[in-house]
Amino acid sequence: MKKEFLDLGRQPIANKFLKKDGLEDEFFFNLKVVFDEETKLVSIKDFVAPELMFNEDYAYNTSLSTPMVNHFKETAEMLNMKFRPRKVLEIGSNDGPFISNFSKVDSICVEPCGNFAEITNGMGYHTYDNFWTTDLSEKIISEHGYMDLIYSANCICHIQDLDDAFKAIKNTLSPSGVFVFEDPSLLRMLERGSYDQIYDEHAHVFSVTALNNILRKNGLQIFSVDNLSVHGGSNRIYTCHLESSTIGDSVKQNLKEEKDFGIDKFETYQIFANRVEESKKILHEKLSDLKQKGKKIVSIGATSKSTTVFNYCGIDSSLIDCITDTTPDKQGLLAPGSHIPVVDRESVNLNDYDYAFLGAWNFKEVIANKESDFVENGGKFITHVPQIMEFS
Ligand code: JHZ
């Protein structure tokens, strides 16, 4: 049975940045979150139609993020060394920072956002401009054969029907093949109070516990887990066909850590929900108070996560003047729901502001280092993770 524990209110499409004249038909939905007592999976209660989120207007370019490009290069090198795969498939390849480390002859991509599928096709990687399903997996097997490595980053948690996705992966994997994927960690979200990991695209936030249950049901087993710092705390999950590898200590350790935290208990989620409501109250009060004192506030990073925060906490351009973002496709547009203007970082003198809210809190160190001049001039950062606080 699925039990609701959190209501994040009326939310827009998190990555759909808007033109001033495109506000009337903005799509909204109710973002409620449920816990499945049987599988222990945490999911959005009412999914948004995938075509509304993942299409040719998708605005998140991985290659514009140097830390993430480095992360994917290192990941590709490590997987190459460990598994020496010949045939490689990436699901959700975005603009190609991972697949570009593999051979064009033996590697293929699946990417439903047309703008990105065009890029990796242009780079020479056969890219299917489709959602990942069992139907597509059959087509891929007939055209390319079985895969030795299937990799996916920040994409499997976007897939609403996990049973179908995992069945399709099992079908496509060669007998000794591995399926490796990484997504934000539910445990880290619960520990850090980072409720903004929940938005339309994240149909689920994964624990190792829930994945272990669902993968097994679909003929796959987890044999290793890496805990990563990217995206505010993620897990890299290594899987293979059932019984085809021994289960490593990292799996047992992660399952134990999650059990000790109470990840399998509904009460844990009720406590989290209370913390989230408190965070909303404090953040809104803090920003309102600063504004009343005549302070100017900017936000850094027009992230999907900040869409959740601003819409849940009722934060708009009366509190935050603008959001700076390095992504050209977001600049000159209005942030989803809050309609705060998104501007190029280069067009803003940060020293004109007293406070900078970290929409991209997961890049806290990178941003603090880059913006040391702001701090030297008396500027302060505000973050809501792990609790509402100022720092400089
Ligand atoms: P970032 C994305 O979420 C979307 P987001 C996606 N759905 C997903 O699953 C998660 O990642 C994992 C900008 N920036 O990576 C660049 C600056 O402006 O936290 C990006 O627009 N200045 C695939 O959107 C944004 O911030 C900087 O100095 O929450 C970061 O977005 C830096 C470092 C970044 O992901």
Side-chain angles (χ1 to χ4, degrees):
M1 192 178 62
K2 289 182 186 164
K3 288 169 86 174
E4 184 183 321
F5 63 91
L6 181 61
D7 184 349
L8 292 169
R10 188 173 171 263
Q11 293 280 346
I13 301 290
N15 260 308
K16 190 152 179 57
F17 293 81
L18 306 149
K19 292 197 179 118
K20 279 201 183 81
D21 60 5
L23 304 183
E24 304 82 56
D25 28 285
E26 186 170 17
F27 174 87
F28 286 92
F29 71 105
N30 289 319
L31 182 53
K32 294 183 176 172
V33 196
V34 293
F35 170 69
D36 186 336
E37 293 269 14
E38 191 196 334
T39 61
K40 315 299 177 199
L41 182 67
V42 166
S43 310
I44 289 182
K45 187 175 181 193
D46 300 308
F47 294 138
V48 172
E51 298 76 15
L52 286 179
M53 302 178 277
F54 308 111
N55 50 47
E56 62 290 346
D57 295 327
Y58 193 68
Y60 181 83
N61 292 61
T62 310
S63 290
L64 292 176
S65 169
T66 312
M68 290 314 293
V69 172
N70 295 340
H71 170 77
F72 289 122
K73 188 168 186 299
E74 285 161 19
T75 305
E77 282 165 5
M78 179 275 292
L79 293 173
N80 252 330
M81 288 277 289
K82 237 184 194 159
F83 302 111
R84 304 255 168 237
R86 190 169 76 80
K87 291 198 179 179
V88 179
L89 162 66
E90 185 179 9
I91 304 172
S93 41
N94 198 272
D95 56 356
F98 175 80
I99 205 70
S100 60
N101 298 287
F102 293 88
S103 133
K104 291 184 174 104
V105 182
D106 289 316
S107 312
I108 56 167
C109 304
V110 170
E111 174 52 71
C113 301
N115 48 339
F116 297 136
E118 200 180 318
I119 293 176
T120 46
N121 265 320
M123 286 160 63
Y125 296 92
H126 184 163
T127 304
Y128 291 83
D129 180 0
N130 298 97
F131 289 100
W132 175 250
T133 59
T134 36
D135 286 349
L136 179 64
S137 72
E138 274 149 29
K139 188 165 185 230
I140 287 179
I141 296 164
S142 71
E143 291 175 4
H144 298 274
Y146 296 101
M147 297 291 142
D148 304 313
L149 170 66
I150 302 180
Y151 177 78
S152 187
N154 303 309
C155 176
I156 300 299
C157 74
H158 295 175
I159 301 180
Q160 297 168 3
D161 186 348
L162 289 177
D163 287 330
D164 182 74
F166 291 149
K167 269 190 198 102
I169 285 163
K170 183 172 170 65
N171 285 348
T172 316
L173 213 51
S174 66
S176 59
V178 288
F179 163 47
V180 180
F181 63 109
E182 47 188 84
D183 287 291
S185 149
L186 178 66
L187 179 59
R188 297 285 104 84
M189 181 187 94
L190 296 173
E191 283 173 345
R192 294 173 184 174
S194 48
Y195 65 89
D196 51 352
Q197 291 290 7
I198 306 167
Y199 47 90
D200 56 348
E201 292 177 21
H202 286 180
H204 321 280
V205 185
F206 290 142
S207 60
V208 180
T209 307
L211 284 171
N212 196 40
N213 294 335
I214 301 166
L215 284 157
R216 284 198 158 268
K217 197 165 75 157
N218 290 292
L220 294 164
Q221 76 175 34
I222 305 178
F223 65 90
S224 190
V225 177
D226 291 340
N227 303 125
L228 310 172
S229 62
V230 293
H231 285 301
S234 301
N235 287 327
R236 182 184 292 135
I237 309 281
Y238 297 77
T239 77
C240 58
H241 291 285
L242 270 181
E243 319 300 346
S244 67
S245 172
T246 49
I247 296 174
D249 288 345
S250 58
V251 182
K252 293 166 203 158
Q253 275 158 14
N254 273 272
L255 291 174
K256 181 174 182 318
E257 201 192 341
E258 290 188 349
K259 190 155 185 63
D260 291 348
F261 191 87
I263 222 147
D264 55 345
K265 300 217 162 50
F266 184 65
E267 297 72 56
T268 304
Y269 300 92
Q270 290 174 305
I271 295 167
F272 176 73
N274 291 338
R275 178 176 173 186
V276 173
E277 278 167 31
E278 191 62 12
S279 172
K280 165 185 176 166
K281 205 169 132 249
I282 301 173
L283 182 62
H284 195 275
E285 276 172 12
K286 182 168 186 63
L287 298 184
S288 305
D289 188 46
L290 290 173
K291 207 65 195 171
Q292 267 172 14
K293 289 180 177 145
K295 304 292 181 195
K296 284 190 79 185
I297 311 166
V298 63
S299 183
I300 300 180
T303 58
S304 319
K305 296 183 287 291
S306 60
T307 297
T308 292
V309 175
F310 294 160
N311 286 279
Y312 174 57
C313 300
I315 295 166
D316 58 18
S317 51
S318 66
L319 294 175
I320 290 185
D321 295 346
C322 64
I323 307 173
T324 67
D325 198 284
T326 48
T327 315
D329 284 352
K330 297 181 185 177
Q331 296 161 2
L333 298 176
L334 302 175
S338 67
H339 303 162
I340 303 171
V342 182
V343 297
D344 181 359
R345 169 67 190 87
E346 301 307 315
S347 70
V348 169
N349 181 359
L350 226 53
N351 295 329
D352 291 342
Y353 294 87
D354 303 291
Y355 289 87
F357 178 76
L358 286 181
W361 56 265
N362 45 317
F363 291 115
K364 183 176 163 186
E365 282 79 24
V366 178
I367 294 171
N369 281 336
K370 256 201 301 203
E371 307 297 0
S372 54
D373 189 46
F374 169 65
V375 174
E376 276 157 28
N377 278 287
K380 289 190 172 128
F381 293 109
I382 299 175
T383 183
H384 66 292
V385 179
Q387 71 256 332
I388 313 297
M389 58 184 186
E390 288 181 11
F391 70 98
S392 50

